[in-house]
Amino acid sequence: MSEEQHHSTEEDLRQHRLDKLERIRARGDEPFKYIFERTATITEARATFEEQENSAEDKAGVQITAALAGRVVSFRDHGKSAFADIRDEHARVQVYFNQKKVGEAAFTALSDLDLGDFIGVNGVVHRTRTGEITIFADSYTLLTKSLRALPEKYHGLTDVETRYRQRYLDLVANPEVLDTFRKRIKLIDTMRTWLTARGFLEVETPMLQPLAGGASARPFITHHNTYDCDLYMRIAPELYLKRLIVGGFERVFEINRNFRNEGVDTRHNPEFTMMELYEAYQDYLGLMDETEELFCAIIDAVNGGPEFEYQGTIINATRPWKRLALFDAIKEYAGIDLAATRDRDEAAKLAKSAGVKIDNTMGYGKIVDEVMSACVKPKLVQPTFLYDYPVEISPLAKKHRDNPAITERFQAFIGTLELCNAFSELNDPIDQRDRFMQQAKERERGDEEAQILDEDFITALEIGMPPTAGLGIGIDRLAMLLTNSGSIRDVILFPQLRPTE
RNA sequence: GAACGGGUAGCUCAGUCGGUAGAGCAUCGGACUUUUAAUCCGGUGGCCGCGGGUUCGAAUCCCGCCCCGUUCACCA
């Protein structure tokens, strides 16, 4: 075909492959097969081969027959023979094609094979003289034709925008990304097993809520056509899970998505995954012990021990973890005693003396929170619990049994990442109503994130909720920590980017 | 929302002082029966993010816009 154009723009590369597809069909082969019966995965075949090799007298004579399948990731043509590498989910193996062995027609048909195609190979596994475990093909089958060029084999795909927008390309080109997500999956699996083993029941509560409650955040709004009303994507499952404790469940948890309509950066994605649990007859101190145990079980399962590296620092999560009352931590790291005053202006003055920026809209609780974020949080590299937070910034937490100005609340930090939030749950409906009213005032002052009074939730509390402790863990943050990822987008398969045209 | 950095072939990247747009890989053609970033020979391939401006001449200088990243603000 002298009129054939030898171009290689993206569309021309695709056209080449479409031409090959037609040739394949023209000779009666189907380029998109329905099934292939593997006798083993590549990992299994390698393991079996090495086992036999280890126990054999004549190591060079060891060979096992196998049918393996995978994606062609490289191809080296040598005239009357050829080598390819194929890769399945967990491993790679070399394939050797010999013209005599597979037959002339099948060997010629190799020229219609492209990088990215899936093939199945029937043959014999043994070592080449260079020592590489190789399947010597008796025959092969094209399983799926790939119509687009893969990213380059050596440098892989580094363009972050393409990696996030077309994660499938990232996974194909950078197999180590699979490991990151396997760790994330292992994390969740370990957490679920741990909770289930302790009698926690996994439940599902509404994603669409008429009031977006349970946290301080701006929600996404959506619309229900039949009811002709706006609904909110949930910002937290908290208020529903507590209704279940009211109803009689004693240990519940949910691992699911929350949605918050706020800024996007290396630590925030508009949708993120939380685990929340509620345990009746427990308080925050008991829950702190359990939380430590749970984190350590996860860290051990995912990273094989209490030590791991995060962004250049070695973290040691051996128990017990450091525990610091919030106001003591502020005293230690910011050098000011905010517990000495309850006066908003006094507190502001102290905070400014510690170099923290304070504006006039901030109340006492917010000021304490600012000082914590600016002076304490950056110091919390090794696992640390902070506990006893101001009542103003903890509207769903029970007041401290010895001090009504603070709540029985704790958070855990590792590598300066805030990993969880927990408290003795406020179950006094009168106090809860007061807290909501306080939030309403904040809202009137212009705080769009202040929480909204949920009458039905108060009604539930009036029915009666036993003493309960609750915990929320940000799964994405924890995944970042355990995979040494600097950005939340590296632990979310399909992070939100601005949509393209 | 702000500052800084980036956007050049399918992928990874060069591109000097404003003077014909480059390399490697991939791809196409050819050689090669143990290679493994195979090798050798010969080709194809570009809206230089988009739109204006300055200039005889712009990937390069200026202005605006889009997208990505980092930091900051807000937040978990």
Side-chain angles (χ1 to χ4, degrees):
Chain A
M1 298 219 299
S2 56
E3 73 272 28
E4 189 176 344
Q5 299 283 306
H6 297 295
H7 297 270
S8 55
T9 63
E10 184 171 19
E11 188 47 44
D12 293 326
L13 290 172
R14 187 164 168 270
Q15 190 55 50
H16 274 301
R17 291 178 178 224
L18 285 170
D19 293 342
K20 289 175 181 176
L21 188 80
E22 283 317 304
R23 283 206 291 276
I24 292 161
R25 287 212 160 110
R27 63 172 175 260
D29 196 5
E30 166 54 50
F32 299 99
K33 297 283 191 317
Y34 290 82
I35 190 169
F36 182 76
E37 294 199 17
R38 299 194 275 190
T39 59
T41 64
I42 292 170
T43 308
E44 288 163 353
R46 282 178 169 279
T48 306
F49 178 79
E50 281 172 341
E51 255 168 51
Q52 293 200 11
E53 207 177 36
N54 285 337
S55 58
E57 290 280 310
D58 171 24
K59 297 200 187 308
V62 173
Q63 52 179 57
I64 58 172
T65 61
L68 306 178
R71 164 175 265 135
V72 178
V73 293
S74 75
F75 194 84
R76 300 175 290 284
D77 188 2
H78 286 268
K80 293 194 170 59
S81 71
F83 291 90
D85 290 339
I86 61 169
R87 208 173 65 207
D88 67 13
E89 185 180 340
H90 294 280
R92 180 202 68 85
V93 72
Q94 178 167 266
V95 184
Y96 177 69
F97 300 95
N98 185 292
Q99 191 192 47
K100 284 240 174 72
K101 195 80 180 173
V102 300
E104 246 180 75
F107 192 83
T108 306
L110 282 175
S111 64
D112 289 328
L113 213 55
D114 283 299
L115 299 186
D117 290 356
F118 284 91
I119 61 171
V121 180
N122 290 274
V124 177
V125 178
H126 63 106
R127 284 192 195 270
T128 60
R129 70 164 188 225
T130 53
E132 171 116 10
I133 294 177
T134 300
I135 180 162
F136 289 67
D138 290 326
S139 64
Y140 74 93
T141 316
L142 172 66
L143 300 178
T144 296
K145 188 92 197 106
S146 164
L147 297 180
R148 287 177 188 267
L150 255 37
E152 193 218 9
K153 61 185 174 188
Y154 188 59
H155 297 93
L157 178 69
T158 60
D159 181 72
V160 286
E161 186 168 356
T162 308
R163 289 187 49 223
Y164 296 149
R165 287 195 195 277
Q166 296 178 276
R167 181 69 87 181
Y168 46 91
L169 282 179
D170 188 28
L171 292 167
V172 169
N174 306 313
E176 68 279 7
V177 175
L178 285 166
D179 292 329
T180 295
F181 288 102
R182 286 198 188 98
K183 281 190 173 185
R184 181 190 167 113
I185 291 160
K186 179 81 177 167
L187 178 181
I188 293 172
D189 186 47
T190 305
M191 178 179 274
R192 182 172 275 127
T193 304
W194 192 95
L195 291 167
T196 303
R198 279 156 187 78
F200 286 91
L201 301 181
E202 184 166 14
V203 297
E204 292 164 280
T205 62
M207 296 270 176
L208 295 176
Q209 303 181 349
L211 290 173
S216 300
R218 284 190 303 222
F220 286 94
I221 303 175
T222 185
H223 188 80
H224 191 284
N225 289 340
T226 301
Y227 291 164
D228 189 25
C229 66
D230 284 341
L231 289 171
Y232 299 95
M233 306 292 286
R234 76 172 183 196
I235 56 175
E238 174 150 355
L239 302 186
Y240 285 91
L241 290 170
K242 283 196 266 199
R243 282 171 169 98
L244 295 179
I245 300 292
V246 169
F249 286 108
E250 293 181 357
R251 293 182 171 210
V252 294
F253 75 100
E254 179 164 10
I255 298 175
N256 227 321
R257 224 66 63 82
N258 289 340
F259 307 87
R260 298 190 185 175
N261 205 342
E262 284 157 0
V264 175
D265 61 32
T266 50
R267 283 173 290 278
H268 299 84
N269 193 62
E271 52 181 316
F272 63 102
T273 303
M274 286 271 289
M275 188 287 293
E276 283 201 15
L277 73 78
Y278 291 85
E279 180 180 355
Y281 309 112
Q282 179 63 289
D283 71 0
Y284 80 133
L285 293 173
L287 185 55
M288 208 184 300
D289 293 337
E290 290 179 343
T291 301
E292 193 176 294
E293 214 182 296
L294 171 59
F295 273 128
C296 287
I298 291 168
I299 290 166
D300 194 58
V302 174
N303 279 339
E307 277 201 17
F308 58 96
E309 186 187 329
Y310 184 66
Q311 305 293 289
T313 310
I314 300 296
I315 307 288
N316 188 332
T318 305
R319 300 181 70 186
W321 292 4
K322 190 173 180 182
R323 297 185 182 194
L324 271 176
L326 175 59
F327 284 100
D328 290 341
I330 288 174
K331 216 182 287 178
E332 182 176 336
Y333 294 114
I336 56 176
D337 185 9
L338 281 176
T341 179
R342 288 287 300 155
D343 181 72
R344 186 253 160 230
D345 293 337
E346 282 285 317
K349 219 161 111 187
L350 281 170
K352 283 176 186 167
S353 78
V356 180
K357 281 184 194 156
I358 299 298
D359 68 53
N360 293 331
T361 65
M362 294 177 185
Y364 177 83
K366 182 73 179 159
I367 290 168
V368 173
D369 199 36
E370 285 294 310
V371 174
M372 192 274 281
S373 293
C375 305
V376 180
K377 203 165 141 182
K379 304 287 173 52
L380 304 181
V381 174
Q382 297 302 324
T384 306
F385 285 107
L386 291 187
Y387 61 91
D388 292 353
Y389 283 61
V391 66
E392 293 89 344
I393 53 171
S394 313
L396 301 169
K398 212 166 162 71
K399 279 177 184 156
H400 196 281
R401 59 199 77 180
D402 300 323
N403 179 357
I406 57 178
T407 55
E408 298 197 349
R409 173 182 173 191
F410 71 84
Q411 294 190 296
F413 298 83
I414 302 180
T416 76
L417 289 174
E418 184 185 318
L419 293 177
C420 78
N421 188 22
F423 27 89
S424 298
E425 299 295 336
L426 178 53
N427 62 345
D428 172 347
I430 314 287
D431 191 4
Q432 183 66 80
R433 182 180 291 279
D434 287 346
R435 304 284 193 92
F436 276 135
M437 298 315 284
Q438 204 56 45
Q439 288 289 305
K441 281 185 196 158
E442 299 288 333
R443 183 165 276 271
E444 275 165 32
R445 281 224 300 265
D447 181 358
E448 286 183 67
E449 287 164 4
Q451 302 192 22
I452 295 170
L453 175 84
D454 186 332
E455 277 298 347
D456 182 72
F457 176 64
I458 301 277
T459 301
L461 291 186
E462 289 183 352
I463 297 294
M465 182 172 82
T468 298
L471 164 73
I473 295 178
I475 299 291
D476 311 276
R477 297 273 174 87
L478 186 55
M480 286 171 67
L481 189 75
L482 297 180
T483 59
N484 194 12
S485 299
S487 170
I488 197 168
R489 294 178 205 110
D490 292 324
V491 299
I492 292 174
L493 283 167
F494 300 99
Q496 276 309 328
L497 298 190
R498 190 179 294 275
T500 52
E501 277 281 308

